[in-house]
Amino acid sequence: MSFDARIRAAIEGDIRSGALRPGDRLPSEHELAAYHGCSRATVSKAMAALHHAGLIERRRKAGSFVADQHVHSAVLEVPDLEQLIAARGHAYRWLCRTRRHAGQELHVEGLHFENDTPLAFETRAITVATVPDAAAESFAEVAPGTWLLAHIPWTSARHRILAAGATPDEAKALDVPAGTACLILERSTWRGDAPVTRVRQVFRGDMFDMVAHFEPSRT
Amino acid sequence: MSFDARIRAAIEGDIRSGALRPGDRLPSEHELAAYHGCSRATVSKAMAALHHAGLIERRRKAGSFVADQHVHSAVLEVPDLEQLIAARGHAYRWLCRTRRHAGQELHVEGLHFENDTPLAFETRAITVATVPDAAAESFAEVAPGTWLLAHIPWTSARHRILAAGATPDEAKALDVPAGTACLILERSTWRGDAPVTRVRQVFRGDMFDMVAHFEPSRT
DNA sequence: TGGATTATTATGTCTAGACATAATATAGGG
DNA sequence: CCCTATATTATGTCTAGACATAATAATCCA
């Protein structure tokens, strides 16, 4: 284990054990460097990792403080559907059902299939001002998510994950009874400040799950 | 925007736009440093961030390569329930329903309430060898998750998120009809290689959702 | 020609600064 | 005593190395 990883683990252990509590001020980076017998840069790297994990807050001059431990962060893996289904040894298919302009947006609805079984029903809005080329794309052959991935770099994304019973329309599209438990992923992406797309994907609850993990070594 | 962030954004843009494809080898860090007119450490920092985001693979001597873009990573926020409910201006309560030893594990079942409405039904296994103090804790007053957070540092966590209809037992505990769409969070944590706890939390779908976001600036 | 050994290269990690800047503490004047 | 200005401190970022090491390329010998 690298030196900075060991420093991070030591401080993390103190935070998780309660030896350090939210609001507590940590020793300065210079002090920690002297204490651990290493350079300030090594300590700073460990602190940056703790900050990234949401465990501490860093403020210039004021110092570093233990953060409120009200949110744990984990790395959520959001798979590309085509690749996910291929990895399961199954066949993927996208079916575009509707495509229409709505004001400044392009609205697309469609279904993702796994071996001819509907897996997810998707409704999407694409901001044409941000993605002019989308206006000329039919999305008959390629899923808009896959197309967007290939055509425009997004710089930030926000996901909301929830569970709900399928509405009558969703149920019909997914070929399940209304009210069936579905995992819903709502995702918005931006390029800088410009919105790229907003999508709501309704997954059959029995066919899809997501994985998130937290491992300090991943930093 | 810092220099390393700008380098990272430039490379990320090339990957997302398809200008760089999975398997492509990136220029060496020395080459990138010369190209951008900065130090190798600055480039290395940007590359570490790209690696952390799952966009590239780094191998000594071999170089850095664009990774298969089959999984996007986002930072999932896993809230502490008590704090989350307090933040909503509501009252939190934990009700322990069963507590029993089962082989080398302590099994605890209970309910999390929000303003006297059941929010989540939890079934949990705690590995006593890893957490000896748990054997003496009744969990009548404090939710095991909160207690574990205060008593043992965990070093890695794995979550699985899915949707399913409430089973009859779960429905009864949550005071909803059987089959109601629920968001299920299955979480396991470890301290080093030692398992700490495995928990399954079944949330009423209408009362709970999760948020995950990806923002390069958070690195 | 193939296998073993050695050299080389690129990333991984660390040090020791320098400089920028946000934030806090101190000092001085009204 | 309060407000403003200045000094100080701690983090934020960058440079320029050095050294470690994994992996690849080249060389040499049988």
Side-chain angles (χ1 to χ4, degrees), chain A residues 121-137:
Chain A
F121 176 57
E122 160 173 324
T123 53
R124 183 184 295 266
I126 298 171
T127 307
V128 177
T130 313
V131 205
D133 288 348
E137 173 61 44

Side-chain angles (χ1 to χ4, degrees), chain B residues 25 28-29 40 58-61 64:
Chain B
R25 181 177 184 279
S28 72
E29 291 182 359
R40 198 202 128 214
R58 303 174 80 195
R59 294 202 294 280
R60 295 179 195 185
K61 172 61 169 120
S64 302

